[in-house]
Amino acid sequence: MAGRMVVGSAALAELVRPASAPDPAGGHRMLPVRAELTGLLPHRGLRRGSTVAVGLGQPRHSGATSLILALLAEASRAGSWCAVVGVPTFGAGAAAEAGIALDRLALVPDPGPEWPTVVAALIDGVDVVVTAVPTTVSASISARLAARARQRGSVLVPYGRWDGADVTLQVVRGVWQGLGPGRGRLRRREVTVSARGRGAAARPKEIKVWLPGDESTRVIPRAAGSAVPSRRLRVVTPVARPLPVAGTGR
C-alpha cells in the first residue's frame, strides 16, 4: 500500500479534523515550494486557501505528474499532509524519490461517485489536496470546493481543466535527454512550464526546468552543460500505520 490508502467518505472521518475546526495555519499562510518554481507562483509559494491548477500538458499528460510531484515535495518535507484523489497511476516510488513523505500522504485512487464529498472531507483536514478533475464536474461544485479550500486554509490542486483557479501551471514543451545515436537511456527531461491566472498571477510567465533534476528540480541555465548524472528510482514499500484520530491529521 502506498502512503495511506483511504476509500470512501466514512474512512476519511479518522483522517481529517472536524469540519467546524478553525484554520490552524495562523501566520503560516505559505507552504514552501522548490526555489526553482517560486517564480511561477504569485506569492512564491503555495498560499493556503488558494487553488493552483495543473493542466494536462501538451501533448496530453506530458510532464504533468512530474510537475505535481515537484509542487508537493517541499511542503511535504516541511511537515504538511498531502492527498491525491482520482489518480490511480500515482506511484509511491516516484513520490518518495521526489522527497514526499509517504507517512503523510493519503491516496484515494478511485473516489467514485462520492468524488465531491471525498475532496471536501480532505480539504477540511489536509494541507494540500491534489485531485483529478472529472469530465462531468459542474461549475457550481468546483466553485464550492474552491470556496471550502479558502475557508479551511487548504491548498486545492486540480489536475485537469479548472476554470477560476488562482493560477494554472502547465507543461507546454518537453525534450528528453540521455539518448545518444542508437544507445543510452533516458535520464531527465527539459520542460517549459507556463503560468497564467488572475489577480497577481494575471501576467503570463514561463520557466524551463529539469524534471527530474539530479537532486531537485532546477532552472535550466542558458548554457547548460552536456553531462547529466543519472538516477535510479528507489522502490519504497511503506509500512501501513493506523490512521490518526480526528484532530491530529495535520
Side-chain angles (χ1 to χ4, degrees), residues 195-248:
R196 55 183 174 79
R198 57 183 185 177
R203 184 176 180 180
K205 299 178 181 178
E206 279 192 0
I207 64 168
K208 288 185 178 181
V209 294
W210 296 120
L211 291 176
D214 48 358
E215 289 299 329
S216 66
T217 305
R218 58 178 55 181
V219 171
I220 299 172
R222 292 186 178 179
S226 58
V228 181
S230 63
R231 302 186 74 195
R232 291 184 179 180
L233 174 66
R234 183 173 68 255
V235 178
V236 177
T237 306
V239 177
R241 299 178 183 175
L243 292 174
V245 296
T248 61

Side-chain angles (χ1 to χ4, degrees), residues 4-102:
R4 300 189 185 277
M5 202 67 75
V6 182
V7 180
S9 57
L12 296 178
E14 295 182 0
L15 175 64
V16 302
R17 58 186 168 86
S20 59
D23 173 13
H28 304 287
R29 297 291 300 174
M30 202 67 59
L31 302 180
V33 297
R34 287 174 171 169
E36 298 79 7
L37 301 178
T38 57
L40 290 172
L41 300 168
H43 302 281
R44 304 186 66 81
L46 296 173
R47 181 175 57 83
R48 287 185 180 273
S50 65
T51 298
V52 179
V54 174
L56 294 178
Q58 299 296 332
R60 189 177 175 87
H61 301 297
S62 177
T65 302
S66 296
L67 179 57
I68 289 173
L69 291 171
L71 277 177
L72 297 182
E74 287 303 311
S76 178
R77 285 176 178 172
S80 294
W81 274 72
C82 302
V84 180
V85 180
V87 189
T89 58
F90 192 88
E97 189 76 0
I100 296 171
L102 296 184

Side-chain angles (χ1 to χ4, degrees), residues 36-169:
E36 298 79 7
L37 301 178
T38 57
L40 290 172
L41 300 168
H43 302 281
R44 304 186 66 81
L46 296 173
R47 181 175 57 83
R48 287 185 180 273
S50 65
T51 298
V52 179
V54 174
L56 294 178
Q58 299 296 332
R60 189 177 175 87
H61 301 297
S62 177
T65 302
S66 296
L67 179 57
I68 289 173
L69 291 171
L71 277 177
L72 297 182
E74 287 303 311
S76 178
R77 285 176 178 172
S80 294
W81 274 72
C82 302
V84 180
V85 180
V87 189
T89 58
F90 192 88
E97 189 76 0
I100 296 171
L102 296 184
D103 59 351
R104 291 191 299 275
L105 175 64
L107 299 180
V108 188
D110 183 11
E114 293 187 56
W115 174 79
T117 302
V118 171
V119 174
L122 287 166
I123 285 172
D124 284 345
V126 178
D127 298 294
V128 186
V129 179
V130 176
T131 178
V133 181
T135 55
T136 57
V137 64
S138 67
S140 61
I141 289 177
S142 60
R144 286 201 299 269
L145 291 176
R148 196 178 188 98
R150 286 195 298 272
Q151 182 183 11
R152 306 304 186 203
S154 178
V155 180
L156 179 61
V157 184
Y159 176 30
R161 179 170 179 175
W162 189 274
D163 295 332
D166 295 292
V167 60
T168 297
L169 307 180

